[in-house]
Amino acid sequence: MSKIIITSHEELAMMIDSAIYKRINPLQELINSKLNPKKKNVTVKEAAKILNVSEPTIKNYIKKGTISASKIGRRIVINLDSLENSLKEVKSLKYRR
């Protein structure tokens, strides 16, 4: 059996708006996050904590070009996306005999 609900025009419009908002809002947030990603930068110290290595090791990786970084004033800043991409990239090692 179906129920019949008697409401006013305004109440019906409000019910429809709330139902649509519940469905559309997560999609809008997903679209906004994909179009405008938040760029998160970390310092050398924070990157060392993330990778569980020392700060000089991170600085050596930056000098070698393994990790891309930029300088803002005197501070070295590393983008988290580029840090993750550099970890995914595995270079083959040449062994000497």
Side-chain angles (χ1 to χ4, degrees):
M1 281 186 140
S2 62
K3 295 181 180 181
I4 298 175
I5 301 174
I6 300 174
T7 62
S8 67
H9 175 69
E10 292 82 20
E11 289 176 348
L12 180 62
M14 216 165 62
M15 281 191 238
I16 292 172
D17 287 343
S18 67
I20 290 173
Y21 179 77
K22 286 179 184 176
R23 297 286 182 139
I24 297 294
N25 191 32
L27 294 174
Q28 284 179 337
E29 291 174 358
L30 179 65
I31 290 170
N32 287 336
S33 68
K34 294 293 182 183
L35 290 177
N36 303 320
K38 294 181 181 178
K39 293 182 179 177
K40 173 113 184 185
N41 294 328
V42 293
T43 61
V44 173
K45 188 174 188 177
E46 293 168 345
K49 284 183 182 178
I50 291 171
L51 298 180
N52 199 21
V53 294
S54 65
E55 291 178 35
T57 304
I58 295 293
K59 289 181 181 179
N60 287 337
Y61 288 158
I62 292 170
K63 284 180 185 176
K64 289 180 185 176
T66 308
I67 296 174
S68 62
S70 57
K71 256 189 162 178
I72 300 176
R74 296 176 68 187
R75 182 176 289 191
I76 299 172
V77 179
I78 304 167
N79 190 342
L80 271 180
D81 293 333
S82 66
L83 183 64
E84 290 176 6
N85 289 339
S86 64
L87 290 176
K88 290 178 185 176
E89 184 179 310
V90 177
K91 294 182 180 179
S92 62
L93 299 174
K94 294 181 181 178
Y95 293 103
R96 294 182 185 173
R97 289 187 174 202

